[in-house]
Amino acid sequence: MSNSFIPYGRQTVTQADIDSVLTALRSPFLTQGPLVPRFEQLLSSTLESKHTLVANSATSCLHLSCLSLGLGRGDLLWTSPITFVASANCARYCQADVDFVDIDPSTGLICLNALEKKLTTAANNNTLPKIFVPVHLAGTSCNMADIYALVKPYDIYIIEDASHAVGAKYQGLPVGNCSFSDISVFSFHPVKIITTAEGGAACTNQPHLYEAMLNLRSHGIIRDEALFEFPSPGPWAYEQQHLGFNYRLTDIQAALGISQLSRLNDIVKERNQLLSNYEFLCKDLPITFLNIPKDCYSSVHLAVMRLLDSDSLKHRAVFNGLRSAGIGVQLHYLPVHLHPYYRSLGFTEGDFPHAEEYSKSSISLPLFPGLTLSSQRHIVSTLAALLQ
Ligand SMILES: *Cc1c(COP(=O)(O)O)cnc(C)c1O
């Protein structure tokens, strides 16, 4: 048993990953070379989407997704309050407004009853969102078939925030195949399932959305003369037709991603095994892990447990106890609407009570490939002592 600090999550970088990156560094292209489209093709075949676009972060992908769907001033985007702030911020980048749908505390995912009620009210008040962003918390897919059935009759677009869910399945098919959404977004930040240091991907089956995102990823510039608005003055010409960004991923990062992606199945299997170990070791403790619905194969980005019969004081005491024992627990998440920025937009305590209750009882235990069973035992015995 080591005395060093155990983080809640961290990357695994193998010699093969390092070799792949070194090869890219010695190649003619550090960026805008062949490894980026290669990584995109491999992601498309793994995630079973027609098109995949990679970018320098999932946040950038969420922004591009919103723009490709035409989100703008006066529009509304709904998401979960239990997510990373980027799921909501993407709307604010487009001058659109944000609202939230409360969660089901047993899964941490959007509550379908709350969604149905909110849709009915919004339809009556003419305040329906243009985009709905379900979040696959901890790598477990939301109930996408039912979400699609509820949301699509109102012509609302769906962006899956699948940042946690690379390698996850829903109804036996990979998250990212967009059967029940317009776009699915993934993150390759080092704490996530596979990494490119910074990086993200957007999958879609709709060519026009892919083309729009591709264009905006690189300044809104067009190089195909056939699409020019003005006659081409020469072979050097390109046209900027929209205000785009530099959201590109480099070939160095794509090299890392390609190598990491080849281990995806093993990584997700190990994460599932680590979660089962925790569930077994904790079976007599007054805690519960997030419920994973039967038709989901989770990528287990996080091992979120909830304290039963607890209150904020107890939650904080357990949290502090674990941290001071060198166990890097984390809260995923403080509800987005309670951040000062969102409070300044009018949200307040009590707006989404299930999310608030969830955040007062949840703790993410360390989980990453290579975490040993003896470390897990140490973590659980430390937890057990704190719960006495
Ligand atoms: C990590 C994360 C993001 C943002 O990912 P980046 O690649 O860091 O931009 C967005 N949404 C969720 C739910 C996340 O966990």
Side-chain angles (χ1 to χ4, degrees):
M1 190 189 309
S2 104
N3 291 321
S4 60
F5 187 79
I6 308 173
Y8 86 83
R10 70 158 178 239
Q11 73 276 14
T12 326
V13 173
T14 65
Q15 187 59 46
D17 293 343
I18 293 167
D19 293 343
S20 178
V21 169
L22 288 179
T23 306
L25 278 169
R26 293 187 180 111
S27 81
F29 295 100
L30 300 185
T31 190
Q32 294 180 287
L35 293 179
V36 168
R38 176 91 195 111
F39 184 34
E40 291 175 329
Q41 280 160 12
L42 290 166
L43 285 165
S44 280
S45 63
T46 307
L47 305 174
E48 296 181 19
S49 69
K50 290 214 175 81
H51 305 280
T52 302
L53 170 124
V54 294
N56 59 1
S57 70
T59 304
S60 301
C61 289
L62 287 164
H63 186 194
L64 294 175
S65 300
C66 288
L67 290 172
S68 75
L69 292 167
L71 191 73
R73 194 180 297 280
D75 291 329
L76 200 49
L77 175 148
W78 289 1
T79 189
S80 169
I82 296 298
T83 184
F84 184 59
V85 291
S87 315
N89 288 346
C90 57
R92 303 296 299 149
Y93 300 151
C94 302
Q95 283 77 49
D97 291 316
V98 175
D99 202 356
F100 302 93
V101 181
D102 210 350
I103 61 153
D104 171 351
S106 71
T107 58
L109 305 172
I110 289 272
C111 170
L112 286 243
N113 289 335
L115 176 61
E116 188 172 12
K117 276 204 194 112
K118 200 173 173 95
L119 284 167
T120 311
T121 311
N124 289 333
N125 300 343
N126 217 1
T127 53
L128 284 166
K130 183 164 200 157
I131 299 179
F132 177 55
V133 181
V135 178
H136 303 329
L137 186 76
T140 303
S141 176
C142 296
N143 179 345
M144 291 308 299
D146 287 3
I147 286 174
Y148 188 89
L150 281 175
V151 155
K152 276 292 159 176
Y154 297 105
D155 290 326
I156 297 165
Y157 298 118
I158 300 173
I159 303 172
E160 296 175 64
D161 187 340
S163 291
H164 299 180
V166 189
K169 292 193 167 118
Y170 171 67
Q171 296 186 343
L173 296 171
V175 171
N177 79 344
C178 299
S179 301
F180 300 107
S181 65
D182 296 283
I183 302 173
S184 301
V185 169
F186 298 90
S187 172
F188 306 131
H189 183 276
V191 297
K192 309 283 164 76
I193 308 293
I194 59 169
T195 190
T196 58
E198 298 286 356
C203 294
T204 183
N205 297 329
Q206 299 169 48
H208 72 283
L209 297 180
Y210 169 70
E211 295 295 337
M213 291 192 284
L214 190 64
N215 180 243
L216 294 172
R217 178 177 70 178
S218 201
H219 307 283
I221 282 173
I222 299 258
R223 290 179 187 279
D224 180 357
E225 279 189 16
L227 302 172
F228 282 8
E229 290 179 16
F230 290 88
S232 173
W236 59 84
Y238 56 81
E239 277 189 352
Q240 186 205 334
Q241 297 181 346
H242 304 283
L243 183 60
F245 308 87
N246 180 352
Y247 279 172
R248 294 187 303 260
L249 192 80
T250 66
D251 279 51
I252 304 169
Q253 292 170 292
L256 179 56
I258 289 167
S259 182
Q260 293 252 322
L261 185 62
S262 69
R263 294 199 305 281
L264 178 64
N265 288 343
D266 291 339
I267 291 170
V268 171
K269 216 190 226 170
E270 183 174 355
R271 301 187 82 99
N272 273 275
Q273 182 60 52
L274 291 167
L275 180 62
S276 316
N277 296 348
Y278 273 135
E279 286 172 334
F280 177 75
L281 294 168
C282 293
K283 64 185 187 319
D284 298 324
L285 298 184
I287 64 155
T288 170
F289 285 90
L290 291 183
N291 179 30
I292 299 176
K294 288 244 168 348
D295 53 359
C296 291
Y297 175 60
S298 180
S299 58
V300 190
H301 167 52
L302 302 167
V304 179
M305 60 158 207
R306 293 181 54 230
L307 305 178
L308 300 173
D309 310 317
S310 173
D311 55 31
S312 319
L313 272 179
K314 178 86 180 171
H315 182 240
R316 184 184 284 234
V318 172
F319 213 100
N320 287 341
L322 288 165
R323 280 261 176 106
S324 37
I327 297 165
V329 286
Q330 188 53 276
L331 171 63
H332 296 97
Y333 293 90
L334 176 76
V336 175
H337 69 281
L338 296 183
H339 282 283
Y341 173 76
Y342 283 94
R343 287 182 194 253
S344 79
L345 299 176
F347 293 101
T348 183
E349 247 131 38
D351 283 349
F352 304 98
H354 291 301
E356 292 168 27
E357 166 203 324
Y358 166 96
S359 73
K360 285 176 192 150
S361 63
S362 315
I363 299 178
S364 304
L365 297 178
L367 192 150
F368 48 83
L371 182 67
T372 61
L373 187 57
S374 75
S375 294
Q376 288 193 287
R377 287 210 177 94
H378 163 65
I379 291 163
V380 173
S381 62
T382 311
L383 172 65
L386 289 163
L387 287 171
Q388 273 184 356

